[in-house]
């Protein structure tokens, strides 16, 4: 972990939850505009399976702000965690988000920055406004602000165009051939739905095959579990990635 050094009692640290996504980038831009970057920290929880271009974007975007990235890491990938806790993450329950992202970031905050002299910034946008109260509650006693809930509201496309206008190439997962709405876990987020996983099968068959094999190992351990659920015909049942691949390529 990176030490922030000693602070005077009047200093406030501005900590952006930096994910490598365009929302956290736009958040950092607004925080920098409001407070400068002298006491700004980009806090990144690495889950070790991000798309390589996320790291390129993160590095370049941080450098534009004159900052480095403060990285924390549990040391496990999502599938390694699922195996350890004997639970396969899915779009209803995703322990990876809490254990691999929130907890390492929280441990860093506890070690480095007092809540009364720290503000956290989370990059949810106006379309995700409903999530703000729970996020703020989850980070107590640190205070959380959501700069993207301030006007003017920006869509993801607005933010991508903003980055492009500053000659910053947006992360690969937002543009063709991926065209995803989120830049996380290389596109293989357990919270994503059938549509995204089907797209990933097409654009990154090797990555899909790895996820499929990892899910199959979890099924050997735990029985009939799956990341996805099939809700056709008015019933809900696990939809293994292997079945999705067969269905898609048949
Ligand atoms: S992006 Fe998805 S798979 Fe990755 S840690 Fe977050 S919830 Fe888990």
């Amino acid at each position: 972990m990176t030490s922030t050094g000693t602070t005077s009692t009047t200093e406030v640290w501005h900590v952006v939850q930096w994910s490598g996504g365009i929302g956290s980038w736009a958040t950092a831009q607004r925080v920098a505009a409001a407070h400068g970057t002298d006491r700004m920290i980009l806090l990144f929880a690495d889950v070790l399976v991000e798309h390589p271009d996320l790291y390129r974007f993160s590095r370049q975007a941080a450098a534009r702000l004159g900052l480095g990235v403060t990285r924390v890491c549990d040391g496990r990938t999502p599938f390694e965690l699922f195996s350890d806790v004997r639970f396969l993450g899915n779009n209803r329950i995703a322990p990876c988000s809490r254990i691999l992202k929130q907890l390492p970031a929280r441990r860093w905050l506890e070690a480095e920055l007092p809540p009364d002299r720290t503000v956290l910034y989370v990059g949810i946008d106006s379309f995700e406004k409903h999530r703000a109260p729970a996020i703020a509650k989850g980070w107590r006693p640190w205070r959380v602000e959501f700069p993207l809930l301030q006007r003017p509201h920006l869509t993801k496309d607005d933010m991508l165009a903003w980055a492009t206008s500053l000659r910053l190439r947006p992360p690969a997962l937002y543009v063709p051939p991926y065209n995803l709405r989120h830049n996380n876990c290389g596109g293989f987020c357990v919270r994503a739905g059938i549509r995204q996983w089907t797209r990933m099968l097409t654009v990154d068959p090797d990555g899909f095959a790895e996820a499929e094999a990892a899910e199959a190992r979890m099924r050997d351990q735990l029985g009939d579990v799956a990341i996805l659920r099939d809700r056709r015909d008015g019933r809900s049942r696990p939809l293994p990635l292997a079945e999705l691949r067969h269905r898609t390529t048949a």
Side-chain angles (χ1 to χ4, degrees):
M1 290 185 197
T2 307
S3 171
T4 54
T6 56
T7 62
S8 82
T9 53
T10 56
E11 285 176 334
V12 172
W13 289 95
H14 303 281
V15 180
V16 176
Q17 299 287 326
W18 181 255
S19 68
I22 201 69
S24 73
W25 173 80
T27 297
Q29 297 301 113
R30 287 191 166 179
V31 174
H35 304 288
T37 57
D38 286 354
R39 288 190 293 277
M40 183 170 163
I41 291 167
L42 306 176
L43 183 57
F44 172 64
D46 193 351
V47 297
L48 303 171
V49 291
E50 300 294 1
H51 190 287
D53 197 56
L54 180 146
Y55 298 101
R56 185 276 308 165
F57 176 78
S58 171
R59 203 170 45 246
Q60 290 181 351
R64 289 286 187 90
L65 291 164
L67 298 171
V69 174
T70 298
R71 174 182 179 271
V72 293
C73 184
D74 173 272
R76 289 173 290 182
T77 66
F79 272 110
E80 287 169 348
L81 171 73
F82 299 151
S83 179
D84 285 352
V85 300
R86 296 181 59 79
F87 181 86
L88 180 59
N90 54 71
N91 68 1
R92 285 144 292 134
I93 304 174
C96 41
S97 179
R98 187 177 65 81
I99 296 174
L100 302 185
K101 291 188 171 178
Q102 292 160 24
L103 288 183
R106 193 173 188 98
R107 276 186 226 112
W108 185 90
L109 286 165
E110 286 168 353
E112 301 287 339
L113 295 176
D116 60 342
R117 279 185 284 136
T118 307
V119 182
L120 303 185
Y121 299 90
V122 177
I124 61 167
D125 60 36
S126 55
F127 299 96
E128 306 166 301
K129 191 176 174 182
H130 59 282
R131 296 177 53 206
I135 292 171
K137 187 176 173 192
W139 282 108
R140 284 180 192 159
W142 282 272
R143 183 160 66 85
V144 183
E145 292 187 9
F146 304 94
L148 298 183
L149 299 187
Q150 310 288 323
R151 291 180 186 279
H153 292 155
L154 301 172
T155 64
K156 281 244 165 72
D157 288 341
D158 292 335
M159 296 179 226
L160 293 167
W162 184 10
T164 303
S165 75
L166 299 178
R167 296 178 179 273
L168 196 53
R169 180 159 51 89
L173 289 189
Y174 292 118
V175 297
Y178 297 98
N179 285 324
L180 304 185
R181 301 311 292 165
H182 300 283
N183 181 26
N184 51 28
C185 283
F188 296 102
C189 173
V190 296
R191 281 185 168 145
I194 291 174
R195 179 191 281 194
Q196 179 165 324
W197 281 88
T198 304
R199 181 173 299 168
M200 293 307 296
L201 171 62
T202 306
V203 298
D204 185 356
D206 291 345
F208 189 97
E210 275 180 37
E212 182 184 327
E215 184 189 67
R217 288 192 292 275
M218 293 296 297
R219 288 173 60 79
D220 287 344
Q221 262 189 54
L222 302 175
D224 188 18
V225 295
I227 294 167
L228 300 173
R229 292 194 77 77
D230 188 354
R231 293 192 170 83
R232 293 185 306 185
D233 306 326
R235 64 196 182 106
S236 173
R237 64 172 187 87
L239 174 61
L241 295 176
E243 187 179 331
L244 179 67
R245 182 166 55 79
H246 287 133
R247 183 193 285 183
T248 306
T249 56

